[in-house]
Amino acid sequence: MARDVTDTLFRGNRRLSGNFGKLWVNGALIFEISAFSAKVTADRDDVYIGADRDSKITGLTGEGSFTIKQVFTRGFNRLLENYKAGHDERFTMIGELADPDTVGGQHERVRLENVQINELDIMKFEKGAVIEKEISFRWTPSDTFFEDAIEIPEYAAPHDNF
């Protein structure tokens, strides 16, 4: 029995590893990053058609977080002082995933603009543990740009569906 091209093209080594993820904030590489997540949620209102409950998108919300293994204060003091002075500082974030085993050597790069930090972990520690701080943020989804995307090679794509 002959193997399909996708059987060998998408083996386990092709699954992406977070070990190759990077994050930049305002152009500065956050080398102590251990996790990053950004998602867009459709805000919906219920719409009733007869007895069926459907929905209508009324807006979009961009939310995410990143976790660092703390090495130094990393500008938290400046951000706190800006908050206390009434300034709502905004940032640009770029997340990249460049696993060398990606099909065709592709990588993914997403730029988020108008990023706002939601909360600051001022100090946190636990005896016997490496200090991790999770920083939550939000942004306007219209300010999301895929600079590079990992695409299915045309010869392996059976159809245009997910």
Side-chain angles (χ1 to χ4, degrees):
M1 180 173 198
R3 294 187 97 166
D4 187 88
V5 67
T6 56
D7 289 344
T8 56
L9 188 61
F10 302 123
R11 289 189 172 160
N13 64 322
R14 298 299 187 199
R15 290 353 181 233
L16 301 176
S17 169
N19 289 340
F20 300 99
K22 293 181 181 177
L23 175 67
W24 289 264
V25 176
N26 283 350
L29 178 63
I30 309 298
F31 69 88
E32 63 272 42
I33 190 88
S34 64
F36 176 74
S37 171
K39 69 179 180 178
V40 173
T41 302
D43 304 325
R44 296 179 174 271
D45 274 348
D46 287 342
V47 175
Y48 289 90
I49 302 170
D52 295 331
R53 182 169 64 176
D54 202 344
S55 68
K56 170 73 176 167
I57 294 176
T58 58
L60 299 173
T61 301
E63 297 176 301
S65 67
F66 61 98
T67 303
I68 60 171
K69 303 237 187 232
Q70 188 172 355
V71 176
F72 51 93
T73 304
R74 182 59 94 168
F76 290 159
N77 186 42
R78 186 195 77 242
L79 188 55
L80 177 61
E81 291 304 316
N82 281 336
Y83 282 173
K84 291 180 347 186
H87 300 292
D88 187 6
E89 191 171 353
R90 303 298 171 103
F91 303 91
T92 296
M93 290 184 174
I94 296 176
E96 179 183 71
L97 193 51
D99 189 324
D101 274 340
T102 304
V103 174
Q106 302 177 75
H107 65 279
E108 189 166 274
R109 183 186 276 270
V110 176
R111 185 176 79 245
L112 310 175
E113 297 180 355
N114 196 34
V115 176
Q116 311 116 50
I117 303 297
N118 291 338
E119 55 189 21
L120 292 174
D121 242 340
I122 299 300
M123 183 175 279
K124 177 181 177 180
F125 64 86
E126 178 182 340
K127 299 223 178 199
V130 172
I131 297 172
E132 285 192 332
K133 289 185 175 182
E134 182 177 0
I135 296 98
S136 67
F137 62 90
R138 58 186 297 170
W139 81 99
T140 45
S142 296
D143 294 310
T144 305
F145 307 95
F146 275 88
E147 295 181 344
D148 294 296
I150 300 170
E151 304 290 347
I152 299 173
E154 287 187 28
Y155 58 86
H159 47 76
D160 291 334
N161 297 334
F162 262 85

